[in-house]
Amino acid sequence: MTNTRMTGLRMTGFRTSGTRVTGARPLARRAALAATAVTAALVLAACGGDDRPDTASGADKTPSTHKSQSQSQSHNAQDVSFAQGMIPHHQQALEMAELAADRASSAQVKDLAARIEKAQDPEIRTMSGWLKTWGEDVPSAAPGMDHSGHSGGSDASGMPGMMGEDDMAELSKASGKTFDTLFLTLMVEHHEGAVEMAEGEKAKGEYGPATELADDVITAQTAEIKEMNKLLGKSGS
């Protein structure tokens, strides 16, 4: 009996000891998992700290970009003066170009006149739109308007290259080769005036679209001046 009890106690003790050992393993796992979780939290916190400067940097860039865009859309007195001067200047060029369809004898002159109309008519509409948006006066452009009575140079409004009434009257009466020569001669002066006005806008203007249009005027009309001088036999110009 004594041996049996001892054996039972030993067996019970073994099982109890086994139970204790088995119960200790889950505790160890939980401790290890907890340590891992703490480490992961610290790593994530560190990564989050690294991201903040990038976000702040991006935020710093955005206002400057918006500021740049805002500046390009603002305008100054030069922009207004450019649009108000170039509209009637273009309109006179269209008035001259329209005469070429019936009076010019040269196909090259007719082609040039058509290209001038195609380019400058949309530009007039564009500049008129700017002035309306800015609350500024849009110049009238009725045919036969007063062109200051003198040729070339600057008229009373300060627009270089504008033709006088006498010049326009002479051009409207001419035809054939006489018209071709007079048209080209007057249009060279007219284009030179437009280029001068556009250069002023590029130098002092603030409104992005206006300075871009000025650049287009300089490029296109400088090329046409060379073309017209060539037709006039001034190949060296």
Side-chain angles (χ1 to χ4, degrees):
M1 288 292 288
T2 301
N3 292 337
T4 301
R5 288 197 192 104
M6 291 299 291
T7 302
L9 289 170
R10 287 194 203 97
M11 292 176 67
T12 302
F14 177 78
R15 283 195 296 272
T16 303
S17 176
T19 301
R20 288 195 193 100
V21 173
T22 304
R25 286 174 185 161
L27 290 173
R29 289 195 192 98
R30 285 196 292 273
L33 289 171
T36 302
V38 170
T39 302
L42 291 172
V43 171
L44 288 172
C47 291
D50 291 341
D51 287 341
R52 288 191 197 101
D54 292 339
T55 302
S57 176
D60 290 342
K61 292 176 183 178
T62 301
S64 63
T65 300
H66 290 164
K67 183 178 180 182
S68 176
Q69 292 175 345
S70 175
Q71 287 176 341
S72 68
Q73 294 304 310
S74 61
H75 71 280
N76 59 15
Q78 169 61 37
D79 299 315
V80 175
S81 177
F82 172 70
Q84 289 181 333
M86 193 62 82
I87 287 173
H89 203 278
H90 272 18
Q91 286 166 338
Q92 188 180 66
L94 295 183
E95 195 177 339
M96 295 167 69
E98 287 170 0
L99 295 173
D102 297 329
R103 299 180 179 280
S105 63
S106 167
Q108 291 170 303
V109 170
K110 290 183 178 181
D111 176 67
L112 173 65
R115 281 186 277 125
I116 289 172
E117 289 187 76
K118 185 177 180 181
Q120 296 192 24
D121 188 51
E123 290 177 349
I124 290 172
R125 292 195 298 270
T126 296
M127 290 184 286
S128 297
W130 296 340
L131 292 171
K132 289 176 183 176
T133 300
W134 299 336
E136 302 286 350
D137 293 334
V138 179
S140 61
M145 61 183 177
D146 182 7
H147 299 297
S148 80
H150 62 273
S151 172
S154 297
D155 69 1
S157 65
M159 289 183 287
M162 289 288 282
M163 297 298 107
E165 287 185 326
D166 291 344
D167 296 313
M168 294 301 294
E170 185 180 0
L171 185 64
S172 65
K173 294 175 183 177
S175 61
K177 292 183 179 180
T178 300
F179 176 91
D180 296 342
T181 300
L182 185 58
F183 173 85
L184 293 171
T185 301
L186 295 178
M187 192 62 82
V188 165
E189 289 184 43
H190 202 272
H191 273 27
E192 287 173 343
V195 169
E196 182 180 335
M197 293 168 67
E199 286 173 343
E201 169 63 16
K202 283 195 68 178
K204 300 178 182 179
E206 184 176 331
Y207 187 55
T211 57
E212 289 174 7
L213 188 146
D215 193 49
D216 291 341
V217 168
I218 293 169
T219 300
Q221 298 203 22
T222 297
E224 288 173 352
I225 288 169
K226 292 180 180 178
E227 179 184 352
M228 289 186 286
N229 278 331
K230 194 171 184 177
L231 290 173
L232 287 168
K234 300 177 183 179
S235 57
S237 301

